[in-house]
Amino acid sequence: MSGCFGGSEHRQRSERAARGEHPEHPEHPRASRASAGIPSIPARPSLSPVRSMSRAGSGSPGRSPGSRGAALVLALALWALPAAVSGCSCAPAHPQQLLCDAALVIRAKISSEKVVPASDDPLDSHKMIRYEIKQIKMFKGFEKLKDVQYVYTPFDSSLCGVKLEANNKKQYLLTGQILSDGKVLIHLCNYIEPWDDLSLSQKKSLNQRYQMGCGCKITTCYSVPCSITAPNECLWTDWLLERRLQGHQARHYACIRRSDGTCSWYRGGPPPEKEFMDISEP
């Protein structure tokens, strides 16, 4: 069943939040995750081990993709430095944002893994993990790559390295960047999830729906008051209403641009028809 985000249950939760019955803005403390030994915060308690990471207090509501990109460039630049890095930090982001920012989106199995040098420089002691994969389907990146055989990730978790199960059985949704030499780089700031952990709506949105909203801005709402500041903006309220980022809105809704340039939440189901772009929210 399709429709815009905002049913009676959601309104009731919003009213409770407006009365002060809501979680406070997350303080983003660092806490060790036993599953991977990587610092993380309670902003996403439902994260699978492959998404274990630290999302430090530098992340702010409505942080732009450009800001996240700049932070990532800085982290990757640290590969060339001899000093150790204390942890991997990523700004909270809706799955749609992460998929829009990625150059490559595929569904794949992991066949094997191998530790390889990070560069050809014999003085560079840093390592990377090279995962050999079996690509099942490509959702984004056709214009640059036809088939992906390997993906690379930093060996160190402090540099946002990803640990995947290389048993050729478990399927993953992998998103990442394509380097100038054609290699595919993945890291914890990408959207990487076991395929079976995705909701039906998320799986269907991979083909078209998320792409329809890449021109929209999704702003994280941590506390009231909280409102949109531009017509192409959608408020992401999972933390405010559920005290988790991978809540109902993240798993079942996409922020879609209408024909008049405004953006609004669309509930998963069949891809929206053209008529949807011209109707108003209920």
Side-chain angles (χ1 to χ4, degrees), residues 63-77 89 101:
R63 186 173 182 183
S64 67
S67 298
R68 294 195 306 274
L72 173 60
V73 169
L74 177 60
L76 297 180
S89 297
D101 290 347

Side-chain angles (χ1 to χ4, degrees), residues 49-115:
V50 299
R51 297 297 309 281
S52 303
M53 71 186 79
S54 166
R55 300 181 185 274
S58 58
S60 59
R63 186 173 182 183
S64 67
S67 298
R68 294 195 306 274
L72 173 60
V73 169
L74 177 60
L76 297 180
L78 292 174
W79 287 0
L81 299 179
V85 182
S86 60
C88 170
S89 297
C90 307
H94 188 278
Q96 176 176 318
Q97 288 177 293
L98 297 173
L99 289 160
C100 287
D101 290 347
L104 182 79
V105 180
I106 60 174
R107 175 184 178 185
K109 293 181 180 180
I110 313 301
S111 301
S112 64
E113 63 179 279
K114 182 179 181 180
V115 178

Side-chain angles (χ1 to χ4, degrees), residues 129-280:
I129 299 176
R130 185 185 71 186
Y131 289 109
E132 182 179 2
I133 70 169
K134 179 181 180 182
Q135 179 178 306
I136 298 172
K137 185 173 183 178
M138 181 178 290
F139 299 96
K140 185 178 180 181
F142 309 97
E143 69 282 359
K144 295 184 178 180
L145 295 173
K146 299 301 181 183
D147 184 68
V148 180
Q149 185 178 3
Y150 300 104
V151 296
Y152 295 80
T153 192
F155 178 80
D156 295 322
S157 59
S158 61
L159 295 180
C160 301
V162 182
K163 181 61 179 177
L164 305 176
E165 294 182 22
N167 55 18
N168 206 28
K169 295 180 180 180
K170 193 170 187 177
Q171 298 183 22
Y172 290 94
L173 175 69
L174 302 177
T175 73
Q177 306 304 320
I178 302 174
L179 304 181
S180 58
D181 59 2
K183 291 181 179 179
V184 175
L185 175 68
I186 63 174
H187 49 78
L188 284 172
C189 295
N190 294 132
Y191 192 61
I192 299 175
E193 294 286 351
W195 183 257
D196 290 341
D197 288 355
L198 300 176
S199 68
L200 180 61
S201 176
Q202 288 176 314
K203 293 176 181 178
K204 290 184 175 181
S205 295
L206 294 171
N207 286 316
Q208 179 185 11
R209 191 177 299 118
Y210 283 146
Q211 291 298 316
M212 293 173 63
C214 284
C216 299
K217 178 183 178 182
I218 300 177
T219 299
T220 312
C221 183
Y222 293 111
S223 62
V224 291
C226 143
S227 60
I228 61 173
T229 58
N232 69 330
E233 196 172 350
C234 290
L235 286 181
W236 181 23
T237 59
D238 278 344
W239 178 265
L240 177 66
L241 301 176
E242 303 181 40
R243 200 163 186 168
R244 59 181 181 142
L245 292 176
Q246 294 305 303
H248 191 74
Q249 204 173 10
R251 291 180 57 77
H252 301 288
Y253 288 83
C255 180
I256 303 295
R257 181 185 290 274
R258 298 174 181 269
S259 58
D260 61 1
T262 62
C263 295
S264 62
W265 291 111
Y266 178 84
R267 183 174 172 82
E273 300 293 339
K274 184 178 180 181
E275 288 75 18
F276 165 78
M277 310 304 286
D278 298 312
I279 64 174
S280 59

Side-chain angles (χ1 to χ4, degrees), residues 16-37:
R16 291 197 299 270
R19 293 196 298 268
E21 301 173 12
H22 60 83
E24 298 298 328
H25 185 296
E27 294 298 331
H28 291 204
R30 293 176 181 267
S32 176
R33 287 181 63 94
S35 61

